[in-house]
């Protein structure tokens, strides 16, 4: 028993040290005129750069805006406040920028500190930035008022300018391109139902009930994107134009790569409402995954969810185990398992402890 505990302690110290070392190796990415980091970093040379396709070499909102939880945790682990300072600086840069209609474009030039092309998405390129504003507030034991205000202000702008209802009564989150709406919702955007539910109890004024209703409507729309396919698995993106609703109309949007976002929203909705339909919908997804994605060596994505039989892409994405299966497990677990008042999930569903404002709180025990 003593040897086992000693080994556990040693391994914990090793992982902690390695996490801090990696964080230190990443710090040169922030050496830009604004402090907004590069997307890519050579760990040996410390030289950074951005993706060449990203609006004139811009940094991407969902990348530079999805560091807060990890870097705050690193500062807590190491006692080195530089990690926290780097991510707080990103927030300051964003706060001082004029935001079109209160929205955050997906691209920001790290040299000039100016927005790139005005494309706004709560799905790909933008998604986890909004998630991390909310979770920064939660991780701080709800003391980070700046993060709270930024999240609820952003959500209000999203609701005003991006959220629409189809003629058939389905609520969806469109994309905004240079002032024009594209009535398309990506599978990635379906995480927003869970995010809105997670943040509803802190909503300003009397908006808690409204935000829970909005979360439920988004969950229903995302479920419909699954239910309206032949294989009962959701497409990469679905549209609300040309007489179609919650259906992919372009061949390059009909694939399914084992994504977790719809399951993630089911999990949060179950935990906050205990409405049995969310477990029923989750079980429908389990059955479809087992029937159509299970292959000899694991699970595979599918090229066309509207085809009569699956054409596998022969790839099991890493997020399938990290997120999809984990959220399914939590959907069918007791609420006491990784409860949201003790833990916050990063965007890859890795649990991080809430940083308590009072050190007198009892420590979490290892199960």
């Amino acid at each position: 028993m003593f040897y086992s505990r000693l080994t556990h302690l040693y391994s914990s110290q090793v992982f902690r040290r390695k996490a801090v070392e990696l964080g230190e190796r990443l710090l040169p990415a922030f050496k830009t005129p604004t402090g907004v980091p590069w997307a890519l970093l050579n760990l040996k040379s410390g030289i950074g750069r951005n993706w060449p396709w990203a609006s004139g070499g811009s940094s991407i909102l969902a990348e530079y805006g999805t560091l807060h939880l990890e870097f705050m945790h690193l500062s807590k682990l190491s006692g080195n406040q530089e990690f926290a300072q780097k991510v707080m600086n990103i927030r300051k840069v964003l706060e001082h920028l004029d935001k079109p209609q209160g929205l955050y474009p997906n691209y920001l030039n790290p040299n000039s500190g100016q927005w790139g092309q005005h494309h706004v998405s709560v799905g790909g390129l933008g998604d986890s930035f909004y998630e991390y504003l909310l979770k920064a507030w939660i991780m701080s034991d709800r003391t980070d008022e700046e993060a709270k205000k930024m999240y609820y202000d952003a959500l209000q702008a999203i609701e005003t300018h991006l959220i629409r209802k189809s003629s058939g009564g389905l609520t969806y989150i469109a994309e905004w391109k240079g002032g024009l709406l594209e009535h398309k919702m990506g599978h990635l955007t379906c995480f927003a139902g869970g995010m809105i539910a997670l943040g509803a109890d802190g909503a300003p004024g009397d908006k808690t009930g409204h935000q829970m209703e909005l979360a439920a409507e988004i969950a229903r729309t995302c479920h419909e994107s699954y239910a309206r396919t032949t294989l009962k698995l959701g497409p990469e993106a679905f549209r609300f134009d040309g007489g179609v609703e919650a259906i992919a109309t372009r061949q390059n949007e009909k694939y399914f790569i084992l994504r977790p976002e719809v399951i993630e929203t089911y999990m949060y909705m179950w935990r906050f409402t205990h409405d049995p339909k969310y477990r029923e919908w989750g079980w429908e997804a389990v059955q479809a995954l087992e029937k159509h994605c299970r292959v000899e060596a694991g699970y595979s994505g599918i090229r066309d969810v509207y085809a009569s039989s699956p054409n596998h892409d022969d790839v099991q994405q890493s997020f399938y185990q990290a997120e999809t299966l984990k959220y399914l497990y939590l959907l069918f677990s007791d609420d006491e398992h990784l409860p949201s008042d003790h833990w916050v999930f990063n965007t890859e569903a890795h649990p991080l402890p809430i940083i308590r404002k009072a050190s007198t709180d009892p420590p979490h025990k290892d199960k």
Side-chain angles (χ1 to χ4, degrees):
M1 178 65 75
F2 173 76
Y3 176 77
S4 174
R5 290 182 181 276
L6 189 63
T7 302
H8 174 71
L9 177 63
Y10 176 73
S11 62
S12 297
Q13 291 172 341
V14 166
F15 289 126
R16 177 180 301 214
R17 187 174 69 251
K18 289 297 180 184
V20 174
E21 286 177 6
L22 178 58
E24 290 169 346
R25 296 289 293 277
L26 292 173
L27 289 176
F30 295 85
K31 290 183 178 178
T32 66
T34 60
V36 172
W38 302 110
L40 304 169
L41 180 71
N42 184 314
L43 292 177
K44 184 176 181 180
S45 67
I47 296 173
R49 63 184 177 89
N50 276 337
W51 302 103
W53 52 263
S55 186
S58 291
S59 297
I60 296 168
L61 182 66
E63 293 186 346
Y64 70 78
T66 312
L67 302 170
H68 192 99
L69 302 186
E70 290 83 356
F71 274 58
M72 295 299 284
H73 188 64
L74 278 177
S75 279
K76 180 71 173 177
L77 281 180
S78 66
N80 181 358
Q81 292 307 304
E82 186 175 7
F83 300 115
Q85 290 163 3
K86 295 297 186 187
V87 291
M88 293 302 289
N89 177 68
I90 294 171
R91 191 187 288 179
K92 287 183 174 63
V93 171
L94 293 175
E95 281 225 275
H96 286 103
L97 281 171
D98 288 330
K99 289 167 276 294
Q101 298 181 304
L103 298 167
Y104 291 82
N106 290 339
Y107 301 108
L108 178 67
N109 188 299
N111 293 316
S112 68
Q114 299 300 310
W115 299 117
Q117 67 183 85
H118 282 194
H119 174 205
V120 176
S121 169
V122 184
L125 304 178
D127 46 13
S128 46
F129 163 71
Y130 305 100
E131 174 188 2
Y132 269 41
L133 287 179
L134 172 63
K135 290 180 176 179
W137 173 57
I138 294 173
M139 187 187 199
S140 73
D141 207 8
R142 305 193 176 216
T143 62
D144 187 345
E145 292 294 326
E146 184 180 60
K148 178 183 179 181
K149 183 179 187 304
M150 288 177 71
Y151 168 72
Y152 289 110
D153 286 352
L155 182 59
Q156 183 59 57
I158 289 165
E159 187 168 0
T160 301
H161 300 292
L162 302 183
I163 293 182
R164 295 292 182 266
K165 185 165 290 218
S166 71
S167 58
L170 294 178
T171 298
Y172 62 96
I173 307 177
E175 297 189 10
W176 188 80
K177 293 185 176 179
L180 298 176
L181 281 186
E182 183 178 14
H183 296 273
K184 175 188 80 169
M185 185 170 176
H187 193 293
L188 287 164
T189 316
C190 284
F191 91 97
M195 176 185 73
I196 294 169
L198 180 62
D201 71 337
D206 58 354
K207 292 185 177 180
T208 294
H210 167 72
Q211 290 191 7
M212 283 305 300
E213 291 172 6
L214 179 59
E217 290 176 9
I218 292 170
R220 182 168 78 93
T221 297
C222 293
H223 174 255
E224 285 299 314
S225 78
Y226 276 53
R228 298 181 186 195
T229 70
T230 305
L231 303 181
K232 306 306 177 188
L233 294 165
E236 179 69 6
F238 44 95
R239 295 181 178 266
F240 298 85
D241 53 21
V244 303
E245 296 194 359
I247 292 174
T249 58
R250 303 183 184 184
Q251 192 58 44
N252 66 353
E253 296 172 349
K254 294 182 178 180
Y255 62 89
F256 171 74
I257 54 172
L258 308 171
R259 287 201 188 277
E261 291 77 21
V262 174
I263 305 298
E264 177 182 1
T265 281
Y266 292 167
M267 187 276 289
Y268 281 113
M269 292 305 297
W270 162 256
R271 289 209 165 180
F272 292 123
T273 71
H274 289 152
D275 187 328
K277 71 184 177 189
Y278 297 113
R279 280 186 164 177
E280 292 166 7
W281 292 352
W283 187 244
E284 289 171 7
V286 168
Q287 291 176 304
L289 286 165
E290 287 295 307
K291 183 176 181 180
H292 301 302
C293 299
R294 184 75 177 261
V295 292
E296 184 178 357
Y299 291 80
S300 171
I302 293 171
R303 300 183 193 278
D304 186 347
V305 292
Y306 300 95
S308 56
S309 59
N311 179 9
H312 295 117
D313 64 14
D314 202 27
V315 176
Q316 179 176 295
Q317 303 284 345
S318 62
F319 51 69
Y320 180 62
Q321 289 176 296
E323 298 182 75
T324 310
L325 294 181
K326 188 180 294 174
Y327 285 130
L328 278 170
Y329 180 78
L330 293 171
L331 173 61
F332 295 102
S333 297
D334 292 337
D335 291 358
E336 291 73 25
H337 193 71
L338 294 176
S340 59
D341 57 345
H342 288 292
W343 300 93
V344 62
F345 291 104
N346 78 352
T347 196
E348 295 299 312
H350 304 311
L352 293 170
I354 288 174
I355 300 173
R356 297 296 179 191
K357 54 189 173 186
S359 59
T360 55
D361 288 358
H364 303 302
K365 295 180 180 179
D366 294 327
K367 296 290 185 182

